[in-house]
Amino acid sequence: MSIILDDVYKAFGPHEVLRGFSLEVRDGETLVVLGESGSGKSVALKHMVGLFSADRGEVWVDGRKLRDLPTEELYELRRGIGYVFQFAALFDSMTLEQNVGMGLRRIGGLSEQEIAKRVEECLAVVDLDGLGARYPAELSGGQRKRTGIARAIAARPKYLLYDEPTTGLDPVTKAVIDQLILRMKKELGVTGVVITHDVDSACLVGDRIAMLYRGRRRFLGTPDELKATVDPVVKGFIEGRPELMEETE
Amino acid sequence: MTERLLAPFTAIGRAALSLASGIGRWGVFAGDTVRSLRHVDVWGRLLLEQMSRIGADSVPIALFISTFTGVVLALQASYTFTGAIPMYFVGVLVGKTMMLELGPVLTGLALSGRVGANIAAELGTMRVTEQVDALETMAYPPLAYLVAPRVLAGIIMFPIVTVLAVGIGVVSGWLTSLQLLDMSTAEFLRGLTLFFRPFDVVFTVIKATSFGLIVTSIGCYFGFHTRGGAAGVGQSTTRAVVASSMVILVLDAFWAVVLL
Ligand SMILES: Nc1ncnc2c1ncn2[C@@H]1O[C@H](COP(=O)(O)OP(=O)(O)O)[C@@H](O)[C@H]1O
Ligand SMILES: [Mg+2]
């Protein structure tokens, strides 16, 4: 069981963002997607939960084609996927507890006490226990990100999709989040997809790393293979040397 | 040269086209919202809160406006009628005008500023900060969660707020007649009831209901389709207020033609 993007095309008006992007997320792994800002990483990730639907090509989750899925089944399937948004996307009219409990309330079948207990556990996992009564506006950037992660894991999903979890954080907070991603995999056994443009984070948390470039997959391999690559585009990206990436298609 | 001359016409043509497609997209949006009503479990618990935010919180502004409108109507009526028409016609004019026109329209316009702008800004912010996407990923249909309770609250509360406003406007017209126009309560009441038809109230309610639908659904529409950060939110808010104010005035004329 896995998430598969198969030859996905997506354009916004004349702007072709994905042009035949393919990717298979294997069960249990953490797959990192690298790419420049604006290269379409978030767009690709959103395809995996059906927030966008491909112009061409297919997206499969656990053997089911998202395109053919009735809304109810899509919602059902989304319960197995936690999504960590780039800027956390917390509901600012709600406390942290309410934010983290949102998904659980929707699932139903849980009493208020059970929800409260689960919420407390999730906040503890991301070291925010005791802050449940705060509002998002009262938090630091790192705390918001961690709340976003707590909210994503609340329904005990099989998959966790992280959109730039460490972008814009100071080095210490960044390390905390990277460790958290590793723990999610080890302790909760989740399959992860991590989007980033940070090569160090990518090599630390990723079992495999893909690079999205001009709408297609330019590279796929282990961190060691990434470091040993001879592809000038990939090399230019990881070494921060744009002159190497200058090439015609 | 000819291009220069034609420019205003192409501009008008373009505006007309974008208006038509805008109406079409709003229609699709409204249809999707109606379909989302089947998720009662999602919007049901949110309705009361929205009714209080959209309705109860709007009462002060609506009453403020109608109080002064009542005063002005009474004074203008007496100014117009003095010497020609019996003074109890002040009551006729205050009652009819408040009920049929100024109560619903002024309340609608005021609330398009207060409620419509608020909705567009709130949903717009949620859109650009990906909170709408977050709802989706947690299996909350955004239309059922965000739009349905607001539009329903608008449909329910606008008539209530408007009827209150009409009532206060009439009372302030009556007090003005007593204090400033030397009329008696009996005279004012005589005028008020002379041409009153129960259908006037129905007309008020129909208008206010349609304005509630328009203000909230247009606010939701522009908010929901916001793009491009803070600037986009500002733009959506302005558009929502402008569009709903215009539609209110057009609908106002429409109801007069169709129902009177
Ligand atoms: N909803 C949308 N409508 C129009 N254009 C979009 C939309 N979402 C993303 N884009 C465009 O797609 C491109 C890729 O965006 P994104 O996936 O966010 O990049 P990144 O790799 O930085 O995450 C950008 O040029 C962006 O402007
Ligand atoms: Mg992005």
Side-chain angles (χ1 to χ4, degrees):
Chain A
M1 294 286 114
S2 55
I3 299 179
I4 298 170
L5 299 184
D6 180 18
D7 201 26
V8 168
Y9 285 74
K10 183 70 180 178
F12 297 101
H15 181 33
E16 295 175 331
V17 178
L18 300 179
R19 298 186 300 167
F21 185 52
S22 296
L23 197 66
E24 178 176 352
V25 187
R26 294 183 194 147
D27 219 15
E29 75 172 344
T30 299
L31 177 65
V32 174
V33 181
L34 278 176
E36 298 169 286
S37 289
S39 59
K41 303 183 297 294
S42 301
V43 169
L45 200 67
K46 285 182 180 172
H47 275 83
M48 296 182 186
V49 276
L51 285 173
F52 285 130
S53 95
D55 296 338
R56 237 173 78 200
E58 297 299 341
V59 179
W60 302 78
V61 176
D62 289 344
R64 284 189 287 181
K65 209 196 275 189
L66 292 197
R67 189 185 303 284
D68 301 338
L69 230 45
T71 320
E72 304 302 326
E73 280 179 50
L74 179 63
Y75 282 144
E76 189 64 42
L77 186 122
R78 280 179 181 159
R79 287 176 189 161
I81 306 176
Y83 199 110
V84 181
F85 288 89
Q86 180 169 0
F87 300 102
L90 303 178
F91 303 115
D92 21 50
S93 58
M94 298 181 194
T95 63
L96 298 202
E97 268 161 7
Q98 288 167 333
N99 263 284
V100 176
M102 266 299 263
L104 296 174
R105 296 221 152 71
R106 182 78 179 120
I107 291 172
L110 287 169
S111 71
E112 277 304 312
Q113 286 102 314
E114 286 170 313
I115 290 177
K117 186 157 163 283
R118 185 89 77 86
V119 166
E120 194 52 40
E121 280 169 16
C122 292
L123 285 173
V125 169
V126 297
D127 293 321
L128 288 175
D129 27 350
L131 298 189
R134 298 253 186 117
Y135 284 89
E138 303 166 323
L139 301 182
S140 70
Q143 288 173 323
R144 292 170 64 92
K145 288 244 157 119
R146 282 187 274 154
T147 308
I149 295 176
R151 187 174 69 179
I153 60 174
R156 303 210 172 122
K158 215 176 109 188
Y159 301 101
L160 268 180
L161 313 182
Y162 304 86
D163 192 348
E164 308 217 11
T166 58
T167 302
L169 297 181
D170 63 84
V172 176
T173 314
K174 201 176 93 170
V176 169
I177 301 283
D178 283 339
Q179 288 308 317
L180 202 50
I181 295 174
L182 289 171
R183 268 174 60 202
M184 291 301 128
K185 179 185 161 184
K186 218 183 298 160
E187 292 171 18
L188 307 180
V190 293
T191 303
V193 182
V194 181
I195 281 180
T196 183
H197 50 236
D198 182 324
V199 180
D200 296 330
S201 287
C203 293
L204 181 65
V205 303
D207 298 309
R208 291 191 304 153
I209 298 172
M211 180 172 162
L212 176 59
Y213 180 72
R214 292 192 176 161
R216 293 163 162 276
R217 195 180 73 206
R218 182 74 186 208
F219 172 87
L220 180 64
T222 63
D224 289 334
E225 286 165 352
L226 179 74
K227 286 170 189 154
T229 183
V230 292
D231 181 338
V233 168
V234 182
K235 211 170 155 62
F237 181 79
I238 61 178
E239 292 174 5
R241 292 161 60 192
E243 71 276 6
L244 290 183
M245 300 175 75
E246 300 288 326
E247 69 158 28
T248 45
E249 300 188 27
Chain B
M1 192 63 202
T2 38
E3 235 169 74
R4 271 266 187 80
L5 286 174
L6 287 176
F9 297 100
T10 35
I12 291 172
R14 260 199 219 109
L17 278 182
S18 87
L19 178 68
S21 75
I23 292 172
R25 282 195 302 267
W26 173 84
V28 171
F29 180 76
D32 290 344
T33 303
V34 169
R35 263 190 297 284
S36 82
L37 289 177
R38 67 179 191 277
H39 300 285
V40 184
D41 52 328
V42 173
W43 59 261
R45 333 174 260 114
L46 302 168
L47 184 58
L48 262 183
E49 187 198 330
Q50 290 304 329
M51 281 166 65
S52 122
R53 278 179 57 186
I54 288 173
D57 296 356
S58 299
V59 169
I61 173 100
L63 297 195
F64 180 83
I65 291 174
S66 62
T67 303
F68 285 92
T69 311
V71 173
V72 172
L73 278 178
L75 292 176
Q76 285 188 349
S78 106
Y79 171 78
T80 312
F81 297 155
T82 303
I85 294 172
M87 282 307 275
Y88 62 77
F89 269 85
V90 170
V92 177
L93 192 119
V94 169
K96 282 282 185 184
T97 316
M98 275 313 291
M99 251 187 284
L100 299 184
E101 176 64 14
L102 291 183
V105 170
L106 290 183
T107 306
L109 290 177
L111 297 205
S112 89
R114 198 195 155 272
V115 172
N118 182 296
I119 290 178
E122 188 180 11
L123 297 202
T125 305
M126 291 187 75
R127 168 60 78 191
V128 300
T129 57
E130 296 187 311
Q131 292 177 50
V132 176
D133 288 336
L135 283 173
E136 276 273 2
T137 61
M138 284 184 276
Y140 286 86
L143 289 178
Y145 189 84
L146 296 173
V147 178
R150 284 172 173 76
V151 175
L152 288 175
I155 291 175
I156 298 169
M157 296 311 286
F158 268 52
I160 295 175
V161 174
T162 301
V163 166
L164 269 176
V166 169
I168 291 297
V170 169
V171 167
S172 94
W174 164 61
L175 290 176
T176 307
S177 311
L178 288 190
Q179 297 301 317
L180 301 177
L181 302 176
D182 289 329
M183 283 172 62
S184 68
T185 298
E187 263 183 304
F188 186 85
L189 282 181
R190 178 164 173 222
L192 193 62
T193 49
L194 190 59
F195 293 109
F196 175 80
R197 285 184 289 165
F199 178 73
D200 295 351
V201 179
V202 176
F203 189 69
T204 309
V205 168
I206 289 177
K207 267 192 179 182
T209 309
S210 68
F211 296 167
L213 169 71
I214 285 303
V215 167
T216 50
S217 67
I218 288 184
C220 287
Y221 172 80
F222 282 106
F224 210 74
H225 294 102
T226 299
R227 222 179 271 153
V233 175
Q235 201 176 46
S236 295
T237 309
T238 310
R239 283 187 182 158
V241 174
V242 171
S244 54
S245 305
M246 284 179 7
V247 175
I248 282 177
L249 295 174
V250 172
L251 255 187
D252 187 44
F254 171 82
W255 287 129
V257 170
V258 173
L259 293 178
L260 289 187

